[in-house]
Amino acid sequence: MSSSSARFLSASEAARRLGVSAKALRLYEQRGLVTPTRTDAGWRSYGPGEMARGTEIVALRALGLSLAQVARVLQGDAAGLAPALAAHQALLEGRVRQLGGTIEKVRGLRADLARGQAPAAGELARLLQPAEGFCIAFELPWPWGGERFELRGIRPLNYIVGPLGSGKTQLAIRLAEAIPGAAFLGLDRFASPGAALAPAVAEALAWLVEDGATASDALVALLAGLMAEGPSALVVDLVEQGLDEATQQALIAHLRRRGPEGRPLFLLTRSCVILDLAAVDDEESIILCPANHSPPTLVAPYPGSAGYEAVATCLATPQVRARTQGVIAWRPEAA
């Protein structure tokens, strides 16, 4: 292979280097943001120019710009950058304040040591270890046998998956009951009558539509629930219900941009678009409800990890979900 050809990457290699999923890279291509070359065999190939363009796209997306806004910026219209940079500045300033507080604690400990006063038990451990977030524990409902379930270090974005009849809906409801101040967003959200959109919901809807989503009653009702003020956390039943593939892609990208400061979301899902295993990061977790009714477990998003294959088999494309919509698990009555 020549040195020049070695500079070109396959789609999977390009996605890995850019830190995005292969699906995201294909979406950028579909929207005309990046155009890979093709090999003689027809495979996509990304050279230095395409990778530089991809890096720009990833950076703009990280700032919270929609795909339509990204396209405009790449064409020379920077109007959408001002609010995005302002929001990013606010986020960085918040982290600086948090870091400043930690520095003050270190300074205080050093002053205590200079006076001959040793740190209290556990003080150094709390200082050096990152905050784990709040934790919950409760006894599991049916179909389990009352085993104790603990969830530590709850992430901003959490997925609940499992096959039909695994108890994932019961777990979701119990989570909403156990987390102080949390709310459960059930499927009855789709039956709510239409109403005037709150400004925040209208803004989010416009952003999603620019990102390729299809406006619908299902999407509006979901956004209204997700953006409701008050709950400390939200548990959402079948978040993808009523949403096509493009809308799901836009929605999950939008939810990921909330950052680590966003209130925890628990998304019950059967969609490989919502839960793209290749895109799960450190701010997300996967909770699997096994088919044999063993207690739910956390699954790492890596092939070969315990439970990974079970999670993968629970996820389906929107086309498959459409064929199985309305299929439910049932419990036979005791004789």
Side-chain angles (χ1 to χ4, degrees), residues 12-243:
S12 60
E13 291 171 329
R16 179 174 55 81
R17 292 202 184 184
L18 291 171
V20 300
S21 68
K23 288 181 181 178
L25 200 55
R26 286 196 298 273
L27 181 60
Y28 301 161
E29 181 184 352
Q30 292 168 6
R31 298 296 293 270
L33 300 178
V34 62
T35 305
T37 59
R38 295 276 180 166
T39 66
D40 293 340
W43 297 103
R44 292 175 175 82
S45 181
Y46 293 79
E50 290 78 26
M51 291 301 293
R53 183 66 170 245
T55 301
E56 289 184 87
I57 296 168
V58 171
L60 291 169
R61 292 288 276 172
L63 287 174
L65 272 66
S66 70
L67 289 177
Q69 290 172 321
V70 168
R72 290 195 288 270
V73 171
L74 292 176
Q75 292 167 4
D77 180 2
L81 279 176
L85 288 173
H88 189 62
Q89 178 181 335
L91 176 62
L92 293 175
E93 289 173 345
R95 291 174 179 172
V96 168
R97 287 192 294 271
Q98 183 179 19
L99 183 59
T102 303
I103 291 173
E104 285 302 314
K105 291 179 183 177
V106 172
R107 184 177 287 117
L109 289 174
R110 292 184 63 194
D112 290 342
L113 284 173
R115 294 190 295 268
Q117 181 180 345
E123 201 164 0
L124 287 176
R126 289 191 296 271
L127 177 69
L128 297 176
Q129 292 178 356
E132 202 179 41
F134 68 85
C135 307
I136 54 170
F138 53 83
E139 292 184 354
L140 289 166
W142 179 90
W144 295 280
E147 301 95 330
R148 187 168 178 79
F149 175 70
E150 292 188 2
L151 191 59
R152 299 180 177 276
I154 295 175
R155 302 290 191 263
L157 200 53
N158 308 273
Y159 306 94
I160 302 174
V161 297
L164 290 173
S166 63
K168 57 184 180 293
T169 303
Q170 286 78 4
L171 175 66
I173 294 172
R174 188 68 186 91
L175 277 168
E177 295 171 346
I179 299 174
F184 181 73
L185 193 58
L187 295 182
D188 56 354
R189 62 184 182 264
F190 303 125
S192 302
L197 296 185
V201 174
E203 181 180 350
L205 180 62
W207 194 99
L208 290 170
V209 169
E210 275 207 336
D211 227 24
T214 302
S216 65
D217 291 342
L219 179 58
V220 169
L222 177 62
L223 288 175
L226 288 172
M227 305 186 75
E229 296 182 3
S232 62
L234 284 171
V235 184
V236 186
D237 192 5
L238 281 185
V239 64
E240 67 269 15
Q241 190 78 352
L243 309 181

Side-chain angles (χ1 to χ4, degrees), residues 161 277 286 288 290 297-300 302 304-314:
V161 297
L277 291 171
I286 304 170
L288 170 66
T297 58
L298 288 175
V299 175
Y302 312 112
S305 62
Y308 179 90
E309 294 300 326
V311 169
T313 59
C314 292

